[in-house]
Amino acid sequence: MLKNKYIYLLIITVLCLGLLTNPAAAQDDSLNIAIPGRAQTLDPAYLQRVLSDWPVMNSIFNGLVKYKPGTFEVVPDLAEEWEISEDNTEITFQLKKGIQFHKGYGEFTAEDVKFSFERIIAEDANSPEAQSFINLERVEVINQYTVKLILTQPMGRLFTSTLPFNAGLIVSKKAVEEMGREKFASNPIGTGPYVFEEWDVNNNITLKRNDDYFEVGAEYGEIVFMPMSDPTSQELALQSGEIDIGQLTLDNFDQISQMEEFEAEIYPDLAIQYVAFNTSKEPLNNKKLREALRYIINPEEILIGAFAGKAERANSILLEDMTGYWQAPDFKLEDVGEDYVWNLLAEAGYPEGEGLELEYVTDANEERRLIGALIQDQLSRFNIDLNIEALEVGPKIDRWQDGSYDITYARFTNTVDPGYNFQWNLSEQLGKWNLFHWSNKEYDNLWQEAETTLDSNLRAENYKKMQQLMNDDSIGIWVTHGVKTPAWITEIEPVFSPDGVILPWLISNSEE
Amino acid sequence: MFIYITKRLLWVIPTILTVLLLLFSLSYLLPGDPADIILGPRATPEMAAELESRLGLDNPWYQSYLIYLQNIIKGDLGTSIFRDRSVLKVILDVLPYTVILTLAGMGLAVFNGISIGLLAANYNNSYFEKFLTMLSFITASTPTYIAGVLLIVVFSVNFNLLPSIGIGDGGLLDSIHHLIGPALALSVGWTGYIARLTRSSMLETLDQEFIQTEKSFGIPRYYILYKYALKKAIKPIIAVIGLGIGRLLGGAVFVEVIFNRPGLGRLIVDSVNERDLPLVRGGVLVAALLFVVANLIADISYAYFDPRIKQK
């Protein structure tokens, strides 16, 4: 009996001792940043999940060019300057000199640029970025600090999204060759403001400041990226002081952002969420009917109902400050009056909306079901029945691809380059990811022309025309870009990209 | 006893084979094209082809199943799609954390449950007993994920006593400190159950004649309660612990996600989200094995404490 008592006593003492140590013992020089899931790879050529992989890669690597912090404007990074040939197919970069790779992997030279890009387009690379470099034929090393990209034809997206994003990040040739691709993916060597330190069993990724960084170094000595897939856990960890930057849920955004210890902001996501009409199938192959639906479906109600009124309405696939933005006219029911819509329905062959029954395919999660229910309600005011089918991803994609639906709701991730974002509506995507099942030769030609020019005015012009074509045919309704809702402790002052992605090396201490 | 254990062990084989067949059929039963689901719009046809061959979809299903079985016998659970590492290695990395968490949860449940149960039996028919009964009903019916969030809100956010995420930096004390919250959350449901069981088992034992005899000998109440009665009453409790471990493994999924701990549960959740089929298969297989082993231990301990079971 006595012996047992001592064991209990011992256990209790140990537990109490444990309690005495201060949790959240984050050092002042270290920042904990939550990412929404496990980073899947740190090899820029194989980026999988933008939200988790990109902020880490972006801290470790540099590209030849980068987005100027807080904007999508492209400025030099590892390149000093560049020259573009008459026919836009040869681009010669002068590189900055004396920049060192992390951990003693030597100086950054033209060879690393050649290696980084050519490994992506290599036959056996199987890199999802191959299409980011679609027209790249080869890279020529002129001398140690001069490198030339040789293209088969001009490439519109080269400077807008390929070079400043992950495909354009420069890896150490020596490191990849020494380690092999698999090991490199979890031991990245770049030139960036932070050096990779550790990827632990909990999938936390620790980076240490690069004290030899070629630009102004980071203020914080250590950054830890912590994957937290549960949004509520992120909010709680932020409040208990265990993370310094995280995302809020829309439900708790107001409450937490008003607290003294925290600051928060709403950014638009770089994605597009939309209602798509299946234009190739009865009854929505009828343009009059689609127009009527554009009046009946009210995205503002969706924003309030499903996004707590926090998300902005989207009027284009693109964000407002991107090349080629064109604001699609808003079809507002209160502007034309209900009679106008009843007439449209009658003209379309459905007077009083009678006998109209539409199939609606959506994801089986709460938010999407809610959006479906809101649309169902809106349509019911015009006697139109909507059958909602909430499906798992697999069956949903099957239905998308064989076109067995009338209306669907989708979210597509975008890049800064419009060409990428507009490609899903091309004729060649029919049966794949063209959810409107819409084919327009003029649209295809305009897209192709914009893809193969570096003239941003021409590109902008074409993308505007393409959006007008989509609008004229009333193939769907842009709803929102979605939101990112970063929150952080008031002791720090973070910098974000226009779509709300943290730039960790620019975080400063707001108390100094 | 030996024959009994052998029989039980033999039963494990068909169980595992059924689990394997179910897991194997995942890639055929899941609707949709795996390449589209797993890789999304950015996938090239070459990437899709490589994925299909990795999932064994390029062979007829019976061939793939045989290859799958052969590999498993060799201890090869395949390679994760997104981690470029063998499934076995990924699982072995996180498994210890789940085992420790489950054992700690069980330990707390047993300690707290038996304490509450003993007190309740001791103070039978008092208001204190009613309070303890209520307490055990409340804990028995609190789902693990609610308990986890409540613990974080109270002890991490409000009082700042316990860490809410992670496993600490590797030191023993820090690891224990990080284990308290998750283990408590995990133990809550089973605590109430064990408390109820202890109380009724104790009351039943205290009613028996040998206790009356001891009382009449003038042995102190304290001694009777803890030395003689408890020794007998505790047997059914020990027997349910094996069963409980299987249940707690299930609860560990929630706890690992809420407290952001590495572990088998979180690994399976992550790999389902990433649709990393080989990893889902491997993870579920290991979880099933653990469950089977826990049940086996439960059965054997039943038989050990109650020899009548062996005869059946």
Side-chain angles (χ1 to χ4, degrees), chain A residues 8 18-19 21 23 38 40 48 126 129 201-202 226-228 233 240 242 393-395 398 401 420 424 433, chain B residues 31-32 36-37 41-42 47 50 82-83 93 97 111 156 162-165 177 258 260-262 266 274-275:
Chain A
Y8 291 145
L19 282 173
T21 51
R38 192 180 70 85
Q40 294 191 340
Q48 290 279 351
N126 244 339
E129 298 307 329
V201 64
N202 207 9
M226 300 183 163
M228 306 186 79
S233 297
S240 68
E242 279 159 286
V393 185
D398 273 353
Q401 299 192 336
Y420 178 87
W424 313 115
W433 303 99
Chain B
D36 275 339
I37 302 171
R42 278 155 50 98
M47 288 165 72
E50 191 198 293
F82 293 117
R83 300 186 193 220
D93 275 353
Y97 296 97
F111 181 74
S156 305
L162 293 175
S164 70
I165 52 169
H177 192 201
I258 292 170
N260 227 48
R261 291 175 64 85
R266 179 140 159 256
E274 290 167 18
R275 287 160 220 281

Side-chain angles (χ1 to χ4, degrees), chain B residues 107-187:
Chain B
L108 278 178
V110 168
F111 181 74
N112 294 337
I114 292 184
S115 308
I116 295 175
L118 279 179
L119 282 174
N122 200 8
Y123 295 98
N124 198 17
N125 289 330
S126 69
Y127 279 108
F128 186 53
E129 190 253 325
K130 298 236 159 55
F131 166 75
L132 289 174
T133 307
M134 203 170 72
L135 190 70
S136 42
F137 270 125
I138 291 174
T139 54
S141 51
T142 307
T144 312
Y145 50 90
I146 303 269
V149 173
L150 274 178
L151 282 170
I152 293 180
V153 169
V154 175
F155 289 104
S156 305
V157 176
N158 286 345
F159 294 119
N160 210 12
L161 283 175
L162 293 175
S164 70
I165 52 169
I167 47 166
D169 54 13
L172 179 66
L173 272 187
D174 200 35
S175 302
I176 295 176
H177 192 201
H178 279 81
L179 191 60
I180 299 173
L184 262 181
L186 191 56
S187 73

Side-chain angles (χ1 to χ4, degrees), chain B residues 186-245:
Chain B
L186 191 56
S187 73
V188 157
W190 213 248
T191 302
Y193 183 69
I194 291 183
R196 304 284 307 148
L197 205 66
T198 310
R199 177 181 165 273
S200 54
S201 172
M202 271 301 271
L203 288 179
E204 199 183 313
T205 314
L206 287 176
D207 237 18
Q208 286 176 4
E209 284 169 358
F210 78 96
I211 299 285
Q212 302 301 328
T213 318
E214 281 164 0
K215 272 187 190 163
S216 64
F217 277 139
I219 299 176
R221 183 181 158 74
Y222 167 88
Y223 240 71
I224 296 177
L225 217 58
Y226 296 107
K227 186 133 192 191
Y228 299 109
L230 182 59
K231 213 175 197 172
K232 185 157 188 298
I234 210 160
K235 285 182 182 171
I237 298 161
I238 294 175
V240 299
I241 289 177
L243 218 75
I245 285 185

